[in-house]
Amino acid sequence: MSGHHSDSEIAVRVRRLEERLIDAGLTSDEQLDGIIGQILSGSPANGARVVARAWVDPAFRGRLLADANQALGELDLSMSTGPQTQRFTVVENTPTVHNVLVCTLCSCYPIGLLGPSPSWYKSEAYRARVVREPRAVLAEFGLELPAETEIVVHDTSAESRHMVLPLRPEGTAGLGEADLSALVTREGLIGTAAV
Amino acid sequence: MTVTLHAMARVNDVGGQSGFGLIAVEPDEPPFHADWEARVYALNVAMLRQGVYNLDQFRDAIERMPPAEYLAASYYERWMAAVESLTAAAAPAPRADDD
């Protein structure tokens, strides 16, 4: 994982950097611990809650698709755990259109709703390939889409974030919001899985 | 022979490129693979909050890494290199004879 350096070598370098920044009065141990706690509190369960609400409440779904930043506020959620909030767009899967997310330049991702991003999302292989051969990439993730399904790849940028609203699975008419949200996976919210 | 120069493309602009191989998925991957990764993440957020630099400067610092270094580095190694270079002025490294 760590390129050409050994982990212990890097750990020493990071500790020196940290000491230097604390000595300069730019941060503190408490602040750093707090920030780590914040990122670890982000979870796909948040995104799943949004999806379940949109499935059961058509009016909310309409507001979510029209202005996702605003709609998140109704659930007391934020797309970011960091210092900046970006424009947030929810893209809806339909029986004929499937959406999938990438950040070809780096790793933009709605951490507050999906939790820390997986390494594959940040990898050169995914970023390079999903825009060139999305159907093949999705098949590798186990998602075989019918040939007539259109695939839309959303390349996230520094100023915006996306999340996929998956199709509600068949046979779930009787389920309530909590049970529905339990069906939604992180990969479903990225678009590399159906739900 | 025609040579086309894409002056704006940097090493991170990999969308559509070939040769990076298969996508490696790690089942049940933890958020961070080592404590130092979490610390680098936190240091960067702290510096952004403190206004030592902004998010565009941070991205720029990663994107202008020499291509060979960029590709050899792991994700959080890139972050570390960026935080180191962007904080060099605000918090200078001690000189070797300071001890």
Side-chain angles (χ1 to χ4, degrees), chain A:
Chain A
M1 279 307 297
S2 49
H4 55 292
H5 298 288
S6 79
D7 244 15
S8 59
E9 197 183 328
I10 291 172
V12 169
R13 209 169 129 194
V14 172
R15 199 157 58 241
R16 287 210 188 102
L17 175 64
E18 186 178 320
E19 282 166 5
R20 199 152 59 68
L21 298 178
I22 290 174
D23 286 349
L26 296 172
T27 185
S28 65
D29 258 331
E30 298 71 36
Q31 186 189 27
L32 296 172
D33 289 341
I35 291 167
I36 293 170
Q38 257 173 344
I39 188 187
L40 296 178
S41 73
S43 153
N46 292 336
R49 251 182 77 203
V50 177
V51 167
R53 174 65 59 87
W55 282 346
V56 300
D57 181 346
F60 175 79
R61 176 178 149 276
R63 293 194 295 277
L64 182 69
L65 296 175
D67 183 345
N69 292 89
Q70 192 79 29
L72 284 188
E74 297 180 31
L75 300 182
D76 220 10
L77 290 171
S78 168
M79 44 71 64
S80 162
T81 61
Q84 281 168 266
T85 298
Q86 289 85 8
R87 190 162 54 87
F88 181 56
T89 309
V90 171
V91 287
E92 183 185 36
N93 287 347
T94 71
T96 54
V97 177
H98 181 87
N99 297 283
V100 61
L101 312 182
V102 66
C103 175
T104 60
L105 293 177
C106 187
S107 56
C108 291
Y109 189 82
I111 288 177
L113 297 174
L114 271 66
S117 60
S119 287
W120 63 257
Y121 182 83
K122 302 178 273 205
S123 71
E124 277 76 38
Y126 179 73
R127 288 154 52 199
R129 286 184 57 211
V130 75
V131 291
R132 182 163 37 89
E133 44 177 2
R135 205 170 290 275
V137 167
L138 294 182
E140 282 175 34
F141 276 92
L143 181 60
E144 306 263 5
L145 292 169
E148 60 273 20
T149 301
E150 182 189 354
I151 300 174
V152 181
V153 183
H154 299 269
D155 193 356
T156 296
S157 78
E159 283 79 34
S160 71
R161 300 283 185 278
H162 296 82
M163 186 178 84
V164 174
L165 175 56
L167 272 178
R168 181 170 175 165
E170 287 178 22
T172 59
L175 295 184
E177 243 176 285
D179 289 332
L180 286 171
S181 71
L183 301 174
V184 181
T185 63
R186 176 181 70 189
E187 279 64 25
L189 300 169
I190 299 172
T192 53
V195 188

